[in-house]
Amino acid sequence: MAPGSSNEKNTDDGQASKENFIHLCNPHLEKMKEDILYHFALGTGTHDFPSLFGDVKFVCVGGSPSRMKAFIAYIAEELGLGSPGCDYPNICAGTDRYAMYKVGPVLSVSHGMGIPSISIMLHELIKLLYHAKCSDITIIRIGTSGGIGLEPGSVVITRQSVDATFKPQLEQVVLGKTVIRSTNLDEQLAKELMQCSKEIGQFNTVIGNTMCTLDFYEGQGRLDGAICLYDEDEKLQYLKNAYESGVRNIEMESSVFAAMCNLSGVKAAVVCVTLLNRLEGDQISSPHDVLVEYQQRPQKLVGYFIKKSLGKV
């Protein structure tokens, strides 16, 4: 069966259902005797991927290893697959680049900060899911962001990831040539997540565009970096233009995340909490306990979505 194809099978009631497998846009991989996922410290010659990961249906990725370990403990308890205080081993313990945890059908992986770091992780994650023969996968990035025109603590479900000029695209140079890739995300998945937030009813959630930038300071129009050659009026005008174009938050990973999931035929979503309203300032000054609670909101939303998808709500 070719990569990216659908396989029909009969259900208990005799109806045909389709399994959607990972699509690899790389014919060279079929010629390799072994595939070493260097940054995960895993390989097809040393690990049984179908046995280890074949039952995965949901992959949640986020920047911090500690946050992703906390998420796997949270989802384990929510699904009744773990107990408080239970330890979950890091599957990528052979490297300090990324951390990976698994419980039942859920995989939790850290991706570091920025487009280059998440891109490396996604290349190896997508290959891992392919080698494991996973099907019907949903990948969700959970994280933090700066909001535009939203109260701190609001959760944004991304409709489109846009670049710093508000275009829904990822511009990448490959072999010296500029390649443009779409950064749209799964519309139905976004609606399902929004419905889950309404059912939870604990925090403000919106669907909007997310601006993905190349850095945290100048690229996001901050005034508090080591270098800043624009004034506050210019900054505020830029952020207002972003808001008027549909942007509701800013982060640094969503564009390549959306582009790579699109190319691999994977349903994907980005769910980020806003830590501040960038129209009112640049520095994150909320108390630590408030920030901790904010960061738990995407976990709660995605955890509820997974429970509902598995019929456990």
Side-chain angles (χ1 to χ4, degrees):
M1 183 170 55
S5 62
S6 295
N7 182 36
E8 285 198 357
K9 66 177 183 178
N10 289 327
T11 60
D12 292 339
D13 59 3
Q15 297 296 313
S17 63
K18 284 188 176 182
E19 289 181 297
N20 295 311
F21 291 85
I22 301 292
H23 175 72
L24 290 185
C25 298
N26 184 356
H28 305 290
L29 293 174
E30 295 295 329
K31 304 172 187 176
M32 295 169 54
K33 294 181 180 179
E34 180 181 7
D35 191 2
I36 299 171
L37 309 185
Y38 172 74
H39 301 89
F40 284 167
L42 300 171
T44 56
T46 54
H47 298 77
D48 184 348
F49 282 27
S51 176
L52 290 169
F53 306 107
D55 63 340
V56 170
K57 296 296 180 185
F58 304 95
V59 183
C60 295
V61 303
S64 162
S66 62
R67 189 185 304 155
M68 301 322 293
K69 186 172 184 177
F71 176 76
I72 208 67
Y74 172 76
I75 197 64
E77 190 170 351
E78 288 292 297
L79 297 179
L81 298 174
S83 56
C86 182
D87 189 40
Y88 299 92
N90 178 9
I91 299 170
C92 297
T95 176
D96 60 358
R97 297 293 183 184
Y98 303 104
M100 180 186 296
Y101 306 94
K102 182 181 182 297
V103 64
V106 182
L107 195 64
S108 179
V109 191
S110 70
H111 58 59
M113 194 182 300
I115 288 174
S117 184
I118 192 174
S119 171
I120 294 167
M121 187 282 292
L122 285 171
H123 274 282
E124 299 190 11
L125 173 63
I126 290 165
K127 292 197 298 175
L128 179 154
L129 297 171
Y130 172 75
H131 292 310
K133 298 180 172 57
C134 293
S135 63
D136 302 319
I137 293 289
T138 298
I139 304 181
I140 302 177
R141 165 170 143 68
I142 56 176
T144 59
S145 63
I148 302 182
L150 296 174
E151 286 297 310
S154 299
V155 171
V156 179
I157 301 167
T158 304
R159 176 183 291 110
Q160 292 178 313
S161 174
V162 301
D163 63 18
T165 64
F166 319 139
K167 295 177 183 176
Q169 64 183 34
L170 171 70
E171 185 175 307
Q172 188 169 352
V173 177
V174 180
L175 300 181
K177 299 177 181 178
T178 300
V179 176
I180 304 295
R181 291 174 175 161
S182 168
T183 54
N184 291 333
L185 287 154
D186 191 282
E187 184 177 355
Q188 182 58 37
L189 179 55
K191 291 179 179 177
E192 291 173 13
L193 286 161
M194 187 67 192
Q195 178 59 35
C196 287
S197 181
K198 291 178 181 177
E199 292 173 17
I200 295 172
Q202 295 181 8
F203 40 79
N204 180 47
T205 304
V206 301
I207 294 177
N209 290 349
T210 296
M211 184 164 71
C212 183
T213 64
L214 299 180
D215 81 307
F216 185 79
Y217 287 97
E218 289 182 285
Q220 297 187 11
R222 278 183 156 83
L223 301 175
D224 59 342
I227 299 169
C228 180
L229 303 178
Y230 45 83
D231 61 31
E232 186 170 10
D233 288 341
E234 290 174 306
K235 165 211 160 173
L236 287 173
Q237 186 58 56
Y238 176 68
L239 294 179
K240 288 175 182 176
N241 291 344
Y243 184 88
E244 290 170 3
S245 76
V247 172
R248 293 297 177 267
N249 65 332
I250 312 172
E251 45 87 272
M252 297 186 290
E253 293 86 20
S254 59
S255 62
V256 73
F257 174 82
M260 292 184 69
C261 288
N262 280 336
L263 287 170
S264 304
V266 179
K267 282 199 305 181
V270 177
V271 179
C272 288
V273 69
T274 61
L275 300 182
L276 75 167
N277 180 359
R278 287 294 318 287
L279 293 175
E280 297 178 356
D282 295 332
Q283 298 211 325
I284 300 167
S285 57
S286 297
H288 175 72
D289 59 335
V290 173
L291 293 175
V292 169
E293 194 279 323
Y294 285 171
Q295 291 178 35
Q296 291 171 349
R297 293 181 178 185
Q299 296 187 22
K300 289 180 180 178
L301 175 51
V302 173
Y304 183 90
F305 166 79
I306 292 173
K307 286 178 65 178
K308 187 176 179 180
S309 299
L310 295 173
K312 292 181 178 290
V313 172

